[in-house]
Amino acid sequence: MQNNLNVIVYNFVDMLSHARTEMEVIRELVDDEKAYRSITVSWFENSPLHDILKQVAAKKARLVITTDHGTVNVTEPSKIVGDRNVNANLRYKQGKSLTYEKKDVFEIRNPADAFLPKSNVSTAYVFAKEYKYFVYPNNYNYYVTYYRNTFQHGGVSLEEMIIPYITLSAK
């Protein structure tokens, strides 16, 4: 409490969103957005973070809470094809010789225009629009079902890009 600034990084909510995608048990417990929010509230109310916030309030200290990125609940698949060097993110792809539905993406053909790195001469970036997520044609139906209604990040939607924060002071 004697420091001018203390920083605590809690990434539970991000871990939960990834676990919801990757772990069948979590997927069944948290099968929709309402359940996801409910389990997050339950975790928070019983977490060490909640205890820390109470201690900070008792000391009448000021607290800033923020995150490193937002997420979006993806609901609509968009087919994409690329070589084996294309990244794995569901909300953006970087690579050469990408084939995709133009209406589904925000594309950057010249990465330098957006201050993005350029791995080779033909590197391009595509970002999924709205609530879309990228799926390769291989096992398409399996991955459409697997990732639908999951929280993802890495895109350029407002939900993913605007970093919310709040400054709290004890009363």
Side-chain angles (χ1 to χ4, degrees), residues 11-27:
N11 65 343
F12 174 80
V13 175
D14 194 35
M15 288 173 39
L16 177 62
S17 72
H18 289 292
R20 180 176 179 237
T21 302
E22 298 160 8
M23 296 175 66
E24 190 62 35
V25 172
I26 303 295
R27 186 183 287 270

Side-chain angles (χ1 to χ4, degrees), residues 5-72:
L5 176 66
N6 294 296
V7 177
I8 300 172
V9 176
Y10 257 84
N11 65 343
F12 174 80
V13 175
D14 194 35
M15 288 173 39
L16 177 62
S17 72
H18 289 292
R20 180 176 179 237
T21 302
E22 298 160 8
M23 296 175 66
E24 190 62 35
V25 172
I26 303 295
R27 186 183 287 270
E28 288 188 26
L29 281 172
V30 187
D31 65 340
D32 62 15
E33 190 169 346
K34 182 179 176 186
Y36 178 78
R37 292 184 190 287
S38 176
I39 201 167
T40 302
V41 168
S42 178
W43 164 81
F44 174 73
E45 290 172 345
N46 298 287
S47 73
L49 178 58
H50 191 231
D51 295 335
I52 291 168
L53 295 180
K54 287 190 248 179
Q55 290 173 19
V56 169
K59 300 272 189 186
K60 305 250 187 253
R62 198 172 62 168
L63 177 67
V64 177
I65 299 177
T66 189
T67 184
D68 61 340
H69 60 75
T71 60
V72 64

Side-chain angles (χ1 to χ4, degrees), residues 8-162:
I8 300 172
V9 176
Y10 257 84
N11 65 343
F12 174 80
V13 175
D14 194 35
M15 288 173 39
L16 177 62
S17 72
H18 289 292
R20 180 176 179 237
T21 302
E22 298 160 8
M23 296 175 66
E24 190 62 35
V25 172
I26 303 295
R27 186 183 287 270
E28 288 188 26
L29 281 172
V30 187
D31 65 340
D32 62 15
E33 190 169 346
K34 182 179 176 186
Y36 178 78
R37 292 184 190 287
S38 176
I39 201 167
T40 302
V41 168
S42 178
W43 164 81
F44 174 73
E45 290 172 345
N46 298 287
S47 73
L49 178 58
H50 191 231
D51 295 335
I52 291 168
L53 295 180
K54 287 190 248 179
Q55 290 173 19
V56 169
K59 300 272 189 186
K60 305 250 187 253
R62 198 172 62 168
L63 177 67
V64 177
I65 299 177
T66 189
T67 184
D68 61 340
H69 60 75
T71 60
V72 64
N73 188 5
V74 296
T75 57
E76 299 175 42
S78 178
K79 207 175 277 189
I80 191 162
V81 177
D83 64 22
R84 61 186 171 96
N85 296 320
V86 173
N87 63 303
N89 191 286
L90 297 177
R91 293 284 293 157
Y92 87 94
K93 297 294 181 187
Q94 166 194 0
K96 56 185 181 176
S97 304
L98 297 173
T99 305
Y100 46 85
E101 292 288 330
K102 287 203 182 270
K103 67 180 177 38
D104 292 349
V105 305
F106 171 71
E107 66 181 335
I108 299 175
R109 302 305 274 150
N110 183 11
D113 291 344
F115 304 100
L116 293 169
K118 188 172 187 174
S119 305
N120 60 54
V121 175
S122 58
T123 295
Y125 287 80
V126 291
F127 297 89
K129 287 183 180 175
E130 297 141 358
Y131 302 105
K132 297 192 183 328
Y133 58 103
F134 292 124
V135 182
Y136 295 112
N138 303 6
N139 296 321
Y140 180 81
N141 291 327
Y142 171 79
Y143 288 109
V144 164
T145 303
Y146 189 78
Y147 290 112
R148 180 176 282 134
N149 290 318
T150 62
F151 287 90
Q152 301 296 326
H153 57 84
V156 292
S157 69
L158 285 177
E159 293 94 333
E160 296 162 277
M161 297 294 292
I162 292 180

